[in-house]
Amino acid sequence: MNRGVVVGVLLGLGILAGLAAAAATAPGLKLVHSKRWRTTGPSVEIPDNAADFLDALAERCGFDLVVTSGTRTTRAQARAMIKKVKNGDSLADLLALYGDDAQIEALWPFLAVGDEDGAAAVIEEHIERGRYLSRHLATSAESWALDIDDPKDPRERAQLIATAKDLGVRVLDEGNHIHIEHRGSRNV
């Protein structure tokens, strides 16, 4: 079914108006889709300034983007890391990716056995000491991270990475997705 038809039907039923009203009551978060990008579901939280960045990125790339992760709870971060370990990432892989040796080494016993509660507790302890393992955990409007689904076309993938870098963010190619993180102000 055409997306325009779906929007028209939803408008006619008053559903979009209800969604917009609900979004207006959640300060700092944007609806789960835009003209050129969408999330994989309502649990993917996108800060407003990250949504503005996505608008600019998608417009400059010229193709649609799918955001698979945004702001995470400590439990969601633990779950994501356990998934990485289940998919074959080793302690050395995590040390290279995250760079916080002390935190990764404290997490490893919990990650290795899939203990989400234990891993989340370690992450929370480090946050209380001001040590954020991932920008996905950041709560500041100026500091955030997003994961964008891997464009299957190699040209689109290269364009996405180059355009994001041009917009002033850090970009990591994590294989099945592109990780983008922002610290401080930027020009879009």
Side-chain angles (χ1 to χ4, degrees):
M1 181 178 260
N2 180 315
R3 207 182 325 189
V5 171
V6 171
V7 169
V9 169
L10 292 175
L11 279 172
L13 294 173
I15 292 172
L16 277 184
L19 288 175
T25 63
L29 298 180
K30 187 156 181 139
L31 284 172
V32 295
H33 62 80
S34 180
K35 185 170 42 174
R36 298 298 309 249
W37 63 269
R38 65 178 176 82
T39 66
T40 52
S43 65
V44 178
E45 295 182 1
I46 309 294
D48 281 342
N49 61 343
D52 294 340
F53 169 84
L54 283 167
D55 289 340
L57 179 63
E59 186 63 33
R60 291 182 188 186
C61 284
F63 53 85
D64 294 346
L65 305 175
V66 178
V67 182
T68 59
S69 186
T71 303
R72 294 180 184 155
T73 64
T74 55
R75 179 173 282 286
Q77 181 65 36
R79 191 176 311 117
M81 294 179 77
I82 288 168
K83 183 177 179 182
K84 290 180 85 51
V85 172
K86 285 182 179 178
N87 287 336
D89 280 18
S90 66
L91 174 59
D93 294 329
L94 296 180
L95 289 167
L97 179 62
Y98 290 98
D100 187 336
D101 293 2
Q103 192 168 171
I104 294 298
E105 288 175 2
L107 278 166
W108 183 253
F110 301 103
L111 299 175
V113 297
D115 182 349
E116 195 174 297
D117 292 333
V122 170
I123 295 168
E124 187 65 39
E125 289 169 14
H126 281 81
I127 288 173
E128 289 171 5
R129 293 193 301 249
R131 298 189 59 103
Y132 287 79
L133 181 65
S134 169
R135 294 276 169 219
H136 284 289
L137 296 162
T139 56
S140 160
E142 285 299 315
S143 180
W144 45 260
L146 304 169
D147 290 339
I148 299 177
D149 196 22
D150 177 27
K152 305 308 179 222
D153 182 324
R155 292 173 302 209
E156 287 184 356
R157 180 185 187 84
Q159 183 179 1
L160 171 62
I161 292 169
T163 304
K165 286 179 179 179
D166 286 346
L167 289 171
V169 295
R170 181 174 181 229
V171 179
L172 299 171
D173 182 347
E174 294 191 9
N176 64 345
H177 68 273
I178 306 299
H179 173 88
I180 294 174
E181 61 182 51
H182 179 264
R183 302 174 195 194
S185 62
R186 63 174 162 67
N187 292 325
V188 174

